[in-house]
Amino acid sequence: MGNEQKFADAMQELEEIVRKLEQGDVQLEEAIDLYKKGMELSHFCHDKLQNAEKQLISIVNENGEKQNFQPINNGVDNN
């Protein structure tokens, strides 16, 4: 899986694979190949999402220092 592939393209390809497999009118060998490709795409998308999450978790404060992101919980006290 090349790094040049975009998340949206991978998701679209994965959705197409799922659609084909759900229809059930593919030969066993093709189904196995589609499943393998789907797993590769799934891992690729998962990695992209995890990387994006890591980038969003830390922010830079006004002093240029990284700090953990503390989401606003709309006044709800979780304690």
Side-chain angles (χ1 to χ4, degrees):
M1 179 111 332
N3 286 337
E4 68 279 351
Q5 183 166 22
K6 303 268 190 246
F7 177 81
D9 294 338
M11 282 299 297
Q12 185 175 6
E13 188 176 353
L14 182 56
E15 289 171 1
E16 180 65 20
I17 288 172
V18 169
R19 186 189 62 73
K20 285 180 181 178
L21 290 173
E22 285 179 343
Q23 286 179 345
D25 38 337
V26 294
Q27 297 295 320
L28 178 61
E29 293 80 11
E30 183 182 2
I32 291 170
D33 290 341
L34 287 171
Y35 180 81
K36 288 179 183 178
K37 179 67 174 177
M39 290 304 295
E40 289 175 9
L41 290 167
S42 176
H43 287 295
F44 173 82
C45 291
H46 182 263
D47 290 345
K48 285 281 195 184
L49 287 173
Q50 278 194 321
N51 186 39
E53 181 181 30
K54 286 177 186 175
Q55 290 177 24
L56 293 174
I57 287 176
S58 68
I59 58 172
V60 177
N61 66 18
E62 59 274 357
N63 297 325
E65 301 166 335
K66 281 191 174 183
Q67 64 186 44
N68 286 337
F69 175 71
Q70 297 297 322
I72 299 172
N73 52 0
N74 295 326
V76 176
D77 188 3
N78 291 333
N79 295 327

